Amino acid sequence: GTVSTSARNVGMRGAAAERSERLLEAVHAGSARAVRTPTLRVHDDAGGDRVGFMFGAGLVARFFDLYEAVPHRGLLAAGSLAGRALVGAVTGGALARQVLSPVACAIEVDGVTRPSRAWSLVLASVLPDVGLGVRATYRAGERDDRFHVVASTLTARGLAGQVPRVLTARPMRGPDAVDALARSLRVAFDERATYVLDGDAMRVREATVTAGPVLTVLLP
């Protein structure tokens, strides 16, 4: 993607063309190394059956809606947008309300329905860094057959207060907070809403996340 989140999680840095060149050189020299990378599998009621690394609803989906409208996407644009949302969460700005307001849905983790019906953040990932140094899913990758689920009902101001925790790989706090290594996550929206898988947005009424296939990734 435009921010190279997945590549960064496995230690790849630099422009895509440079990374590809280094990898080809390593393969040719016989020095490339293989690492195992778990994935997510997402089924939805629109017929989707997809494999990826990061699933998000609520603020994740709304952030991507705004990010996709930015003319020149990349790390600087994503960081600027996140910073504006964070400042707005403290000051009560309209952008923060747009991105951080709860979405009406029910979530079920490993078959157990959580009590809240409004979630500002729903995130499942096999990558510990979900972008811009945010390590909300700090336990991601611990097991191939599970992924890290984080969900919050906090308001915009409450979420802003969690930023130091997610930047230092500590669990989020708050009423009804979810923080678990899970085998399954089901999200049922009250009405059609957006979820994002690795930056691709889909509008559905329901989506189920399970552990996906384990990939072998070659690195220089």
Side-chain angles (χ1 to χ4, degrees):
T2 53
V3 185
S4 299
T5 300
S6 300
R8 289 172 182 275
N9 271 268
V10 294
M12 298 289 281
R13 297 289 188 271
E18 295 173 355
R19 295 198 303 265
S20 299
E21 184 175 346
R22 292 199 305 270
L23 179 56
L24 288 173
E25 291 173 351
V27 170
H28 182 72
S31 60
R33 56 191 177 92
V35 296
R36 288 166 56 87
T37 303
T39 65
L40 305 173
R41 187 158 202 160
V42 182
H43 296 268
D44 61 47
D45 66 342
D49 181 5
R50 301 175 175 88
V51 171
F53 300 101
M54 297 175 292
F55 168 96
L59 78 85
V60 180
R62 290 180 173 134
F63 179 87
F64 270 96
D65 281 344
L66 295 176
Y67 178 69
E68 287 298 313
V70 174
H72 304 290
R73 295 189 291 273
L75 274 173
L76 288 178
S80 174
L81 184 58
R84 289 165 53 205
L86 177 60
V87 171
V90 176
T91 62
L95 177 64
R97 290 195 299 272
Q98 182 180 353
V99 174
L100 304 176
S101 58
V103 61
C105 65
I107 69 171
E108 183 182 286
V109 181
D110 286 343
V112 178
T113 301
R114 300 294 173 146
S116 179
R117 295 285 305 186
W119 297 89
S120 47
L121 168 66
V122 181
L123 177 64
S125 179
V126 295
L127 304 177
D129 184 339
V130 295
L132 302 176
V134 174
R135 301 180 66 84
T137 50
Y138 57 94
R139 296 187 65 189
E142 284 188 12
R143 292 180 55 166
D144 291 346
D145 62 341
R146 294 178 183 244
F147 49 89
H148 197 172
V149 177
V150 173
S152 177
T153 62
L154 290 172
T155 62
R157 186 180 292 271
L159 286 170
Q162 300 301 302
V163 169
R165 302 188 66 82
V166 300
L167 291 178
T168 53
R170 290 181 290 162
M172 295 179 66
R173 294 175 174 171
D176 301 328
V178 176
D179 186 302
L181 281 182
R183 295 182 185 274
S184 67
L185 166 69
R186 175 176 169 269
V187 182
F189 299 103
D190 286 12
E191 56 186 33
R192 285 176 64 84
T194 301
Y195 78 82
V196 172
L197 181 64
D198 294 351
D200 292 327
M202 276 67 66
R203 287 188 63 79
V204 301
R205 282 294 301 270
E206 184 176 314
T208 300
V209 185
T210 56
V214 178
L215 304 181
T216 298
V217 179
L218 288 178
L219 299 174

